[in-house]
Amino acid sequence: MTTSSADAGSGRSLLPVAEARAAILDQLQPIAGWERVAVRGALGRVLAEDIIAPYNVPAHDNSAMDGYAVRAQDLGANGETALGVVGTAFAGRPFSGIVGPGQAVRIMTGASIPQGADTIVVQEIARREHDRVFIPAGQKKGQNLRHAGEDLAEGGVALAAGCRCGPAELGLIASLGIAEVAVRRRLRVAILSTGDEIASIGRPLGPGEVYDSNRYTLFGALSRLGCELVDMGVIPDRPEALEAAFRDAAQAADVIITSGGVSVGEADFIREMMNRMGEVAFWKLAIKPGRPMAFGRIGDAVLFGLPGNPVAVMVTFYQFVQDALLQLMGVTPLPPAERFPVRAGFALRKQPGRVEYLRGRLQRGADGLSVTLAGAQGSGVLRSMSEADCFVVLPEDCTAVQPGDTVCVQPFHGLV
Ligand code: AMP
Ligand code: MG
């Protein structure tokens, strides 16, 4: 694993976000191991093998509408054609006869098309009189038919390995009559918070202490991804305690995510310790919030050392860690998270040199979408994340935003 770029204290410039993302994704391979689960258990899991359609879906040509199954050649070019109704086809109870010249069969949605018929006329335009039905001119041969295999063709790949199953995929698997599928094993992720001042919830705060929120945001984000969590708790800034925690975490998990302890000033002993236990780069990223971040390996586990500030944890998680975890989970790469330009409804001055991820709220007005800022933007103000529905992404070279300027947003929907 290469660990050289933009090390803290190396005097080199800040590492651009895109380079850090690429460096991370470059070094990660999907984990091995899979299991068979029942269809319901596949929700949120990653398929370990292609799912091949064992039959056509639908299995038979069938009617898309309630109406009459007819032979197109019987229908006149003008006026009405009278046909004799010789039976009824229900879904699951086909008409067993053959539709002959001058004949029609009453048919329900989903019923197999009776032999001889090739066209469905919807009931609303047909006029029924006893055992005869009158069909107006202008019907098209083959209309209102769903063809066998039109959804999925027998022998074709219905879902490819690497697909993460959502509700549609569960239904699709079931539509093939498949009861169990092979999915990759869950990614095991250990989380720990560092800092002498960090207090676990459930007890009163001591002087100068801060409740640990990072393990809860990470719990939420990782649970949504379907990871198996190993919660290592809060570890004080003591080398022996940290070393023991990292050793345990590296044995228990595929990935270790820490928060705190990677900023300049705190990083020195952690860096020394991590590099004894593995190979870890300490980056200074061109990003705000979240400049310091560590990435590498401890034992066989991949390590993400996130900054301590709660908003910085979330920004670096969604910009660097989430896609890396999906790659480890074996998910086929998805298109990059959606971003689009909108009008700024705020003013701001900014230092050049870092990409800034502000927390914003989208608003729809008469003249389209605009974005305002979601409260105070300090990197410790978690409320800004809770109130926001998007990141406002200001590029490195931006120095100011005026109301009415165009800015780029990354919606939380589908990301956070
Ligand atoms: P550090 O990166 O360790 O210097 O921490 C930066 C800031 O984030 C400090 O104000 C910490 O108190 C705060 N912080 C670190 N870890 C946590 C945590 N788990 N929950 C809430 N705040 C934290
Ligand atoms: Mg700290």
Side-chain angles (χ1 to χ4, degrees):
M1 182 166 284
T2 46
T3 57
S4 55
S5 307
D7 257 19
S10 68
R12 289 165 61 186
S13 56
L14 300 178
L15 181 63
V17 170
E19 271 181 44
R21 272 180 60 85
I24 292 169
L25 295 175
D26 245 26
Q27 302 190 31
L28 303 179
Q29 306 304 324
I31 51 162
W34 58 277
E35 57 185 319
R36 295 194 78 78
V37 294
V39 182
R40 287 189 183 93
L43 183 63
R45 304 294 297 271
V46 182
L47 293 179
E49 58 191 22
D50 289 351
I51 292 193
I52 308 294
Y55 327 97
N56 282 324
V57 178
H60 316 279
D61 288 354
N62 69 88
S63 178
M65 307 292 275
D66 290 340
Y68 293 88
V70 304
R71 299 155 27 106
Q73 74 208 76
D74 291 350
L75 304 180
N78 302 297
E80 283 186 337
T81 305
L83 301 172
V85 180
V86 294
T88 303
F90 296 96
R93 217 165 2 115
F95 174 73
S96 52
I98 297 176
V99 182
Q103 294 183 335
V105 162
R106 174 96 176 100
I107 193 163
M108 307 304 167
T109 303
S112 291
I113 306 297
Q115 237 187 307
D118 54 20
T119 300
I120 303 298
V121 177
V122 297
Q123 64 187 14
E124 288 78 5
I125 63 164
R127 187 162 61 79
R128 179 77 181 263
E129 269 179 24
H130 308 291
D131 58 356
R132 290 202 306 170
V133 63
F134 296 86
I135 308 292
Q139 310 303 318
K140 284 224 297 277
K141 182 174 177 181
Q143 71 187 14
N144 301 322
L145 241 75
R146 298 190 290 217
H147 293 283
E150 157 183 306
D151 191 350
L152 295 169
E154 180 183 335
V157 175
L159 291 169
C163 164
R164 212 168 147 227
C165 295
E169 286 71 31
L170 299 196
L172 203 145
I173 293 165
S175 77
L176 295 169
I178 295 174
E180 277 192 348
V181 289
V183 295
R184 285 189 184 264
R185 75 164 169 85
R186 288 185 194 274
L187 189 66
R188 283 193 281 274
V189 183
I191 51 177
L192 60 93
S193 296
T194 73
D196 289 333
E197 80 285 23
I198 306 303
S200 290
I201 56 175
R203 65 165 176 83
L205 270 192
E209 287 187 336
V210 180
Y211 279 126
D212 179 11
S213 55
N214 292 340
R215 263 187 313 133
Y216 296 86
T217 44
L218 288 173
F219 165 87
L222 294 165
S223 300
R224 279 216 182 148
L225 288 178
C227 298
E228 202 175 292
L229 272 140
V230 183
D231 190 341
M232 309 287 297
V234 180
I235 312 295
D237 290 318
R238 278 206 328 270
E240 329 76 67
L242 281 163
E243 189 162 341
F246 280 119
R247 185 161 298 121
D248 291 348
Q251 257 161 29
D254 306 299
V255 178
I256 307 169
I257 302 179
T258 67
S259 68
V262 291
S263 51
V264 180
E266 280 199 309
D268 289 351
F269 82 91
I270 290 191
R271 181 203 313 231
E272 191 255 325
M273 182 202 71
M274 283 184 177
N275 282 327
R276 225 174 331 114
M277 302 182 74
E279 206 183 341
V280 179
F282 281 70
W283 286 334
K284 280 205 268 179
L285 299 169
I287 188 172
K288 182 181 176 185
R291 177 173 14 202
M293 188 178 125
F295 171 68
R297 267 178 207 281
I298 294 209
D300 291 331
V302 176
L303 172 92
F304 293 93
L306 305 185
N309 272 306
V311 180
V313 166
M314 295 197 76
V315 167
T316 49
F317 181 88
Y318 288 110
Q319 301 305 326
F320 300 105
V321 183
Q322 181 155 279
D323 282 349
L325 298 182
L326 290 169
Q327 186 164 313
L328 287 166
M329 289 160 65
V331 177
T332 303
L334 305 164
E338 190 191 10
R339 289 182 180 204
F340 52 82
V342 300
R343 255 177 327 101
F346 62 90
L348 182 106
R349 301 182 69 77
K350 171 184 173 294
Q351 295 290 324
R354 293 202 269 167
V355 179
E356 196 158 335
Y357 288 81
L358 301 165
R359 280 72 65 204
R361 285 187 69 83
L362 289 165
Q363 269 160 353
R364 193 174 293 281
D367 46 355
L369 273 181
S370 66
V371 67
T372 55
L373 295 184
Q377 295 287 314
S379 63
V381 185
L382 206 45
R383 187 146 66 97
S384 67
M385 276 301 294
S386 168
E387 291 182 354
D389 55 16
C390 65
F391 287 123
V392 183
V393 188
L394 303 181
E396 282 181 26
D397 57 1
C398 168
T399 55
V401 177
Q402 300 297 334
D405 285 358
T406 298
V407 292
C408 170
V409 295
Q410 185 176 37
F412 284 176
H413 179 75
L415 174 77
V416 172

